[in-house]
Amino acid sequence: MSNLPQIKVFNTATKKLENFETVLPGIVRMYVCGPTVYDRSHLGHARTYIAFDAVKKYLILRGYDVVHVQNITDIDDKIIKRAQETGISWSEVAEKNIKSYLDVLKKLGVQPTVSPRVTYHVGEIIEAIEKLIEKGYAYESNGSVYFDVSKYEHYGELSGRRSIESWRQEEDVLKEKRNPFDFALWKKMKEGEPHWSSPWGEGRPGWHIECSVMSSRYLGIPIDIHAGGGDLIFPHHENEKAQSEALFGVRPWVKYWMHTGMLTIKGEKMSKSLGNMVYIDEVLDRWSPEVIRTWVLSSHYRSQLEFNEDALQQYEANQQRISTAYRELKNLIKEAQQDFRLEDKDIATMREIEKLHNDFHEAMSEDFNTPLAFRSVMKATDIFYSKVKEGKSFAIAIQLWMFLNEANYVFGFVLQEEPSSRDDERFRQLIELLIAVRKNLREKGIYDLADGIRRSLAQLGIELQDSGLETKYIVRK
Ligand code: AMP
Ligand code: ZN
């Protein structure tokens, strides 16, 4: 395709659509706020992660290299509380939920370049806080450290919030602060809580500072995209912005702030605090990751998205129609005659496909309008069934393929099979297991069964080679 449209992004900071231009040519540095791992991930999380994965994939499609950092908050009040409630250690709570988060993320086809954890960066966080104190933006109070918002003149710029109405805080914390808006960079240790040594005594990092430290660690300064759910604009992103611009002396620290609309259930935000969660792993038992992606991306990332099983059912039908066309098209290309003599009606079909392909890029370039882009994909799929499937024209098939393949990369109607590394690993483990069983049989003098294993493996092309106490294997092609 030629003359692709300029990409435009809605920037929360300016509330405007802006032309997308990266700080460094050709490279997008993108940071997405990831989960606090006190529980398994729910569909609200999936909404945000899939939305920004599609943004990332579209940017890659447009030729950018994208470095995508998505952090894991593995120490926090909620994790400590969950550990106290369940009687297991805070690190076990975090570990278990990190495993499940990474597992569902991979299944959904979302793979950040780096998934840094807070507890691996405490030293750097302490250094950043020390610098903020040195620069006069932060102060120590009773073993905790707070960011002094009165010292940062642009506080409130991102969220438009400065009022403290309905913002409840604990009395003893309020007493330590100069201003109720000041936020904790370092929290003094409470009895029985995990803690690290610092110049201010034992304690742990506050929530916001981690994202400034880890984003600059992996992406440098400034960054192109900072993303997360809309629920994070205040206070999290407002605080991140204030402390980062104060710490790094760079303004703006983030070129484009991007936020998703909330995933709701019965009109209410899906959240752990409301207890209305539908966990991703449970939804994955009922629906394929491809259906979940198709459904999530059927709405614009900035819109609210209501969860119900009927919608998933509808998108399952759509996803299957597209994925079947995609697979059949692949086969058709293999089988079709490479005949380039085209009739007029073929040329008209090719024009139609080209128009839809253009529409797809127009939609994606206009603030990643996936629902509109999706309509072009559906129309192209209709063309497959009505005109391409029977016609078996190589030229048309290949043109449609170029479109659907790009759309698939962004949407994930058919998620690419994992490279066989995981299967290779399973295969290796299985052979090692059989070698161990054979060794055991030989030690017990049961040579006929041991030799039976060797023979069966040989029939499958796997040759065992004994040398001393060790047995190796060779796979014959
Ligand atoms: P949390 O673990 O709550 O800090 O959330 C991790 C990420 O998921 C953040 O970017 C949140 O903004 C996002 N998120 C949490 N709940 C929802 C929801 N109901 N809808 C959309 N995004 C959400
Ligand atoms: Zn964050």
Side-chain angles (χ1 to χ4, degrees):
M1 284 199 47
S2 56
N3 299 331
L4 287 170
Q6 164 73 48
I7 299 175
K8 295 203 170 87
V9 181
F10 183 85
N11 187 354
T12 311
T14 58
K15 315 263 177 310
K16 285 193 188 113
L17 268 189
E18 294 178 8
N19 282 347
F20 184 71
E21 272 147 26
T22 53
V23 178
L24 300 174
I27 296 174
V28 179
R29 298 182 283 176
M30 172 167 123
Y31 188 90
V32 181
C33 286
T36 303
V37 285
Y38 68 101
D39 199 355
R40 283 135 68 213
S41 301
H42 59 68
L43 266 186
H45 297 128
R47 196 276 156 98
T48 293
Y49 306 148
I50 291 171
F52 292 118
D53 180 66
V55 167
K56 164 186 166 178
K57 300 232 168 97
Y58 186 67
L59 292 172
I60 294 175
L61 203 63
R62 291 293 297 266
Y64 289 101
D65 281 330
V66 182
V67 189
H68 167 197
V69 177
Q70 190 160 306
N71 68 301
I72 299 174
T73 305
D74 63 347
I75 183 69
D76 172 87
D77 294 350
K78 292 174 189 158
I79 297 174
I80 296 169
K81 188 161 168 262
R82 182 59 59 97
Q84 285 160 353
E85 284 164 5
T86 52
I88 54 174
S89 72
W90 67 272
S91 53
E92 273 174 282
V93 171
E95 219 46 61
K96 197 174 75 180
N97 292 312
I98 288 172
K99 202 166 167 290
S100 133
Y101 157 74
L102 292 174
D103 182 53
V104 293
L105 208 62
K106 196 166 176 192
K107 285 188 181 139
L108 292 171
V110 181
Q111 282 172 292
T113 322
V114 194
S115 300
R117 303 183 189 190
V118 182
T119 57
Y120 293 4
H121 297 82
V122 177
E124 289 151 86
I125 290 174
I126 292 173
E127 280 171 29
I129 301 172
E130 280 182 302
K131 272 196 206 130
L132 280 169
I133 297 178
E134 247 171 63
K135 288 183 152 200
Y137 286 106
Y139 58 92
E140 191 262 347
S141 174
N142 190 30
S144 291
V145 180
Y146 294 96
F147 185 87
D148 187 343
V149 295
S150 70
K151 297 277 161 58
Y152 180 72
E153 59 173 319
H154 305 290
Y155 193 79
E157 195 178 58
L158 180 68
S159 62
R161 280 181 70 170
R162 266 185 170 276
S163 140
I164 54 163
E165 280 164 50
S166 75
W167 201 34
R168 279 182 290 124
Q169 299 190 61
E170 289 168 35
E171 275 304 308
D172 49 344
V173 172
L174 266 176
K175 265 189 251 155
E176 291 177 0
K177 296 184 182 185
R178 292 182 188 162
N179 178 321
F181 263 107
D182 292 352
F183 54 90
L185 297 168
W186 186 259
K187 290 182 166 188
K188 182 187 176 170
M189 173 199 155
K190 287 191 190 141
E191 200 49 44
E193 287 188 356
H195 52 95
W196 286 260
S197 297
S198 80
W200 319 285
E202 295 295 308
R204 62 188 164 89
W207 173 28
H208 317 293
I209 189 72
E210 65 182 74
C211 291
S212 301
V213 169
M214 294 194 289
S215 80
S216 66
R217 165 84 156 79
Y218 296 99
L219 297 172
I221 312 155
I223 60 174
D224 298 294
I225 296 177
H226 194 316
D231 56 336
L232 297 186
I233 298 174
F234 185 86
H236 186 50
H237 288 166
E238 190 70 64
N239 292 353
E240 269 192 48
K241 177 177 173 297
Q243 72 201 2
S244 300
E245 295 186 348
L247 176 65
F248 307 132
V250 170
R251 214 176 110 73
W253 164 55
V254 170
K255 222 172 159 201
Y256 308 99
W257 286 92
M258 295 178 73
H259 293 99
T260 46
M262 289 294 100
L263 182 110
T264 54
I265 180 161
K266 298 198 180 96
E268 280 194 301
K269 176 191 167 190
M270 184 174 289
S271 73
K272 289 162 193 167
S273 50
L274 290 174
N276 57 0
M277 298 89 71
V278 179
Y279 292 108
I280 306 175
D281 52 6
E282 286 169 4
V283 181
L284 278 168
D285 286 341
R286 296 196 293 280
W287 306 97
S288 72
E290 287 93 342
V291 172
I292 298 172
R293 283 187 71 106
T294 307
W295 164 67
V296 165
L297 296 173
S298 70
S299 98
H300 191 270
Y301 75 90
R302 286 194 281 124
S303 318
Q304 188 171 306
L305 172 62
E306 169 75 9
F307 167 72
N308 64 63
E309 303 268 346
D310 292 346
L312 276 163
Q313 198 151 12
Q314 184 203 329
Y315 281 96
E316 181 178 51
N318 289 338
Q319 179 270 337
Q320 283 183 356
R321 189 170 163 78
I322 299 167
S323 61
T324 307
Y326 181 83
R327 290 201 176 95
E328 287 188 17
L329 195 56
K330 229 172 163 178
N331 291 333
L332 198 150
I333 289 168
K334 275 190 218 144
E335 289 161 14
Q337 287 188 352
Q338 298 202 15
D339 180 355
F340 285 96
R341 271 170 303 158
L342 293 165
E343 294 173 23
D344 285 352
K345 69 170 181 17
D346 294 337
I347 291 167
T349 307
M350 288 181 79
R351 291 234 162 86
E352 256 181 284
I353 297 169
E354 195 189 11
K355 160 98 176 54
L356 292 171
H357 198 169
N358 271 317
D359 291 349
F360 171 85
H361 280 288
E362 291 278 347
M364 288 305 293
S365 301
E366 194 74 1
D367 196 26
F368 309 98
N369 192 336
T370 52
L372 198 58
F374 183 72
R375 269 188 247 161
S376 302
V377 177
M378 285 301 281
K379 284 186 195 156
T381 308
D382 290 343
I383 292 183
F384 172 77
Y385 288 108
S386 62
K387 298 181 184 162
V388 181
K389 196 175 170 189
E390 296 311 323
K392 293 195 172 34
S393 153
F394 181 77
I396 299 179
I398 205 90
Q399 201 202 16
L400 188 56
W401 166 252
M402 284 192 304
F403 173 22
L404 287 189
N405 196 36
E406 285 191 0
N408 186 50
Y409 181 64
V410 175
F411 278 80
F413 304 116
V414 180
L415 287 174
Q416 302 305 325
E417 306 275 296
E418 284 301 313
S420 61
S421 60
R422 193 196 276 172
D423 290 340
D424 287 347
E425 178 59 11
R426 287 220 184 102
F427 175 80
R428 191 190 61 73
Q429 286 169 349
L430 195 69
I431 306 291
E432 298 289 1
L433 205 71
L434 283 170
I435 291 174
V437 171
R438 175 171 165 266
K439 185 167 175 243
N440 209 271
L441 288 168
R442 279 159 64 112
E443 278 163 8
K444 293 199 165 98
I446 312 174
Y447 293 108
D448 54 334
L449 287 183
D451 288 344
I453 288 179
R454 176 198 279 276
R455 269 196 309 276
S456 306
L457 284 176
Q459 276 166 8
L460 295 172
I462 302 155
E463 194 180 300
L464 300 188
Q465 292 182 335
D466 296 314
S467 69
L469 287 176
E470 226 191 344
T471 302
K472 291 194 172 141
Y473 69 89
I474 296 173
V475 182
R476 304 241 174 252
K477 299 267 181 228

